[in-house]
Amino acid sequence: MADGSHTLPLAVTPLNALHRAAGARMVPFAGYDMPVQYPDGILAEHLHTRAQAGLFDVSHMGQAFLSGANVIARFETLVPGDIAALAQGGIRYTQLLNDEGGILDDMMVTRLSDDRLFLVVNAACKNQDFAHIARALPDLKLDVLDTRALLALQGPVAASVLSMLLPGVELMPFMSAKNFTHAGVELYISRSGYTGEDGYEISVPDAQAESFAQSLLADARVKWIGLGARDSLRLEAGLCLYGHDIDTTTTPIEGDLIWSISKRRRADGGFPGAARVQQHISVGAPRKRVGLALDGKAPAREGADIADSTGAIVGRVTSGGFAPSLQKPIAMGYVDAAHAAVGTELNLIVRGKPLPAHVVAFPFVPTRYYRGK
Amino acid sequence: MSETRYTKDHEYIRVEGDVGTVGITDFAQKQLGDVVFVELPQAGKAVAKGAEAAVVESVKAASEVYAPVSGEVVDVNSAIEGQPGLVNEDPSGKGWFLKLKITNKAELADLMDEAAYNSFVSSCS
């Protein structure tokens, strides 16, 4: 998880002291000193999140407001997501694309009003993302929120826990956002996350981050969860890790993210690289990200070659490991289009040996998002 | 009477007569985190000192277990194939990896004794 920025001093989040007090093992990640795991370990943290509620410090991620006239139409020139179709307070997962339709970053966009969006982007990409947005949309106002922490509370009891502090959050549908006031502090609450569970992301001012985290942790059902379990949780949910499963060389169609592009935007284009993306939609992408279930017990990691039954290399693993909820190894990776159908039998080459696997549909573990009653 | 020696890669070898029991240290299992898979060699395999003898995988990553000395694998702990968590729970006991018939006991002199290993570990953390 090292990120190569070891020559720079690591940044810390407002929750650093709490992580250390909780016994976290800290590692450098995207230029930040972050908790990879706590004393319970990754397996226990993962399973706790699936059973109860996990609290994640994701303050290293980038948060910003983008505002101005026609912000929705203007922002749609950078992403293939349908922002115009969002209701006020609705959230969309989308991607910033380059001129070849390659993915610069993936992100969450909230439509706060007709002239204001809230963006949450990956930590490792945030500086270049914000520079790209500011350069491409000079007529709009980009306010980077560098004095707010971001917490994620994820798991089947997340709504029960958070509603004790913030009555009403339990009624929010998944992928919607709303502001709440707690102890005089304005919180931006999104019912969203990246674990496959129901849950929330909570943007809180730096100065109140520690006390708010402590009020969540006062509930016995809530435990700190580190980056290690965050990775295994998102892998089971079939979600991409930027820089591994998607990057500037992959289009959203190759990345199996076509679900994040509406019918209108597929037809009308109007985003960077639209011609290539539309070509991938109409005639098919040359390769595709697929889920891989291994038949045996040995995990295959990022970088493992994927071979067909004749031994020919047809792709490569981009994320892989042991799935704690399934008690077996899973992976995702890119294979050429001829080998991407569910059920295709493939071998993942680990330490020179072929490990039998087959293509499966995402997610590996059913998602449990709250769609409203 | 047994004597335990340690490598800089955090393997131990507990020597009784001509046979050494090889595993990873408590420090190593803590660094690895939850062990989810081990790959053990076939009995009868000859391994050279410093060569890969087994593989241990945690949730996070795969690591090699190197032979602390040269020898022939005479037994493996198949219990940890079914229950990899034993490596975390009891690394020096039920979580052992393999037994080696030692080719050249003089190689043991290159390894650390417990006191030297303990001070080596404190310099690692």
Side-chain angles (χ1 to χ4, degrees):
Chain A
M1 292 200 187
D3 66 344
S5 65
H6 51 276
T7 52
L8 295 169
L10 292 175
V12 294
T13 76
L15 300 160
N16 194 275
L18 274 192
H19 300 315
R20 292 178 177 277
R25 182 182 302 169
M26 307 298 288
V27 298
F29 181 81
Y32 283 80
D33 183 44
M34 296 299 289
V36 66
Q37 65 171 87
Y38 299 84
D40 285 349
I42 295 173
L43 281 182
E45 291 171 28
H46 179 116
L47 296 172
H48 182 84
T49 306
R50 293 265 184 256
Q52 302 213 55
L55 183 62
F56 304 72
D57 179 8
V58 288
S59 304
H60 55 319
M61 297 181 79
Q63 305 175 61
F65 290 125
L66 183 65
S67 46
N70 298 318
V71 66
I72 290 162
R74 297 288 288 133
F75 194 64
E76 281 194 351
T77 64
L78 302 186
V79 301
D82 196 332
I83 312 303
L86 283 174
Q88 188 173 319
I91 306 173
R92 189 79 80 204
Y93 167 81
T94 191
Q95 308 86 31
L96 273 182
L97 299 184
N98 67 22
D99 289 340
E100 290 74 50
I103 301 173
L104 294 166
D105 196 8
D106 60 344
M107 64 193 310
M108 295 287 187
V109 181
T110 306
R111 177 176 179 163
L112 296 174
S113 68
D114 288 349
D115 55 13
R116 195 161 158 91
L117 304 176
F118 177 54
L119 314 177
V120 177
V121 306
N122 281 303
C125 304
K126 64 182 175 183
N127 293 337
Q128 67 207 53
D129 288 356
F130 293 148
H132 171 78
I133 293 166
R135 195 166 52 237
L137 307 173
D139 48 314
L140 300 178
K141 187 162 179 284
L142 182 71
D143 297 305
V144 176
L145 306 183
D146 48 13
T147 58
R148 288 185 83 92
L150 193 64
L151 288 163
L153 182 71
Q154 300 279 296
V157 306
S160 163
V161 169
L162 193 60
S163 64
M164 311 230 310
L165 296 174
L166 306 172
V169 294
E170 73 280 8
L171 303 172
M172 297 169 66
F174 202 71
M175 296 301 267
S176 73
K178 209 171 163 185
N179 289 2
F180 285 77
T181 304
H182 178 70
V185 176
E186 193 172 38
L187 305 173
Y188 312 152
I189 309 285
S190 297
R191 195 162 197 169
S192 65
Y194 219 61
T195 60
E197 295 296 326
D198 184 21
Y200 300 86
E201 290 188 355
I202 304 149
S203 172
V204 51
D206 281 353
Q208 283 82 33
E210 197 173 288
S211 63
F212 192 76
Q214 274 168 326
S215 59
L216 291 170
L217 290 162
D219 191 311
R221 298 171 292 175
V222 177
K223 285 188 172 178
W224 276 126
I225 310 296
L227 291 176
R230 184 168 170 81
D231 190 48
S232 54
L233 287 158
R234 68 92 199 163
L235 176 59
E236 284 185 346
L239 300 169
C240 293
L241 179 60
Y242 188 80
H244 300 258
D245 306 305
I246 45 174
D247 60 25
T248 53
T249 71
T250 60
T251 69
I253 311 309
E254 291 174 315
D256 195 31
L257 301 172
I258 190 167
W259 56 269
S260 68
I261 309 177
S262 70
K263 201 180 266 184
R264 172 180 70 87
R265 303 237 52 205
R266 290 177 204 183
D268 296 356
F271 49 85
R276 180 152 173 249
V277 171
Q278 286 169 321
Q279 191 212 6
H280 281 182
I281 292 171
S282 59
V283 305
R287 58 176 184 159
K288 193 180 159 206
R289 182 177 65 97
V290 296
L292 298 159
L294 288 96
D295 300 339
K297 287 192 290 187
R301 309 278 177 182
E302 180 176 4
D305 280 329
I306 304 173
D308 68 9
S309 54
T310 71
I313 304 300
V314 297
R316 180 172 283 205
V317 171
T318 52
S319 281
F322 181 78
S325 304
L326 303 170
Q327 292 289 306
K328 60 176 199 147
I330 56 173
M332 58 173 81
Y334 283 82
V335 294
D336 60 34
H339 296 89
V342 167
T344 305
E345 292 185 5
L346 297 166
N347 286 305
L348 312 186
I349 311 300
V350 174
R351 294 183 286 276
K353 278 175 274 187
L355 303 181
H358 57 278
V359 175
V360 296
F362 294 121
F364 297 98
V365 172
T367 53
R368 296 194 284 183
Y369 306 136
Y370 178 79
R371 299 296 182 186
K373 296 223 164 87
Chain B
M1 219 186 93
S2 70
E3 185 200 3
T4 306
R5 311 284 286 187
Y6 299 86
T7 71
K8 287 188 172 168
D9 297 311
H10 307 285
E11 292 97 5
Y12 67 81
I13 180 165
R14 191 168 55 247
V15 183
E16 286 165 282
D18 290 342
V19 174
T21 302
V22 176
I24 65 169
T25 65
D26 189 56
F27 177 82
Q29 70 81 14
K30 282 191 183 133
Q31 289 296 307
L32 282 172
D34 301 303
V35 173
V36 295
F37 176 76
V38 293
E39 186 175 298
L40 298 171
Q42 298 280 338
K45 185 183 177 184
V47 288
K49 179 181 175 180
E52 180 184 311
V55 174
V56 56
E57 300 218 17
S58 70
V59 182
K60 279 179 289 183
S63 313
E64 292 77 32
V65 177
Y66 300 108
V69 295
S70 306
E72 180 193 335
V73 177
V74 292
D75 197 7
V76 296
N77 184 10
S78 47
I80 61 173
E81 292 177 319
Q83 282 180 273
L86 288 173
V87 177
N88 295 114
E89 288 159 29
D90 192 9
S92 58
K94 289 179 185 156
W96 62 279
F97 278 65
L98 52 99
K99 290 183 198 282
L100 279 181
K101 186 159 190 284
I102 301 169
T103 311
N104 177 5
K105 288 186 83 169
E107 286 179 353
L108 291 166
D110 301 340
L111 304 179
M112 290 175 274
D113 64 13
E114 189 167 345
Y117 178 70
N118 287 341
S119 76
F120 173 68
V121 163
S122 21
S123 73
C124 294
S125 46

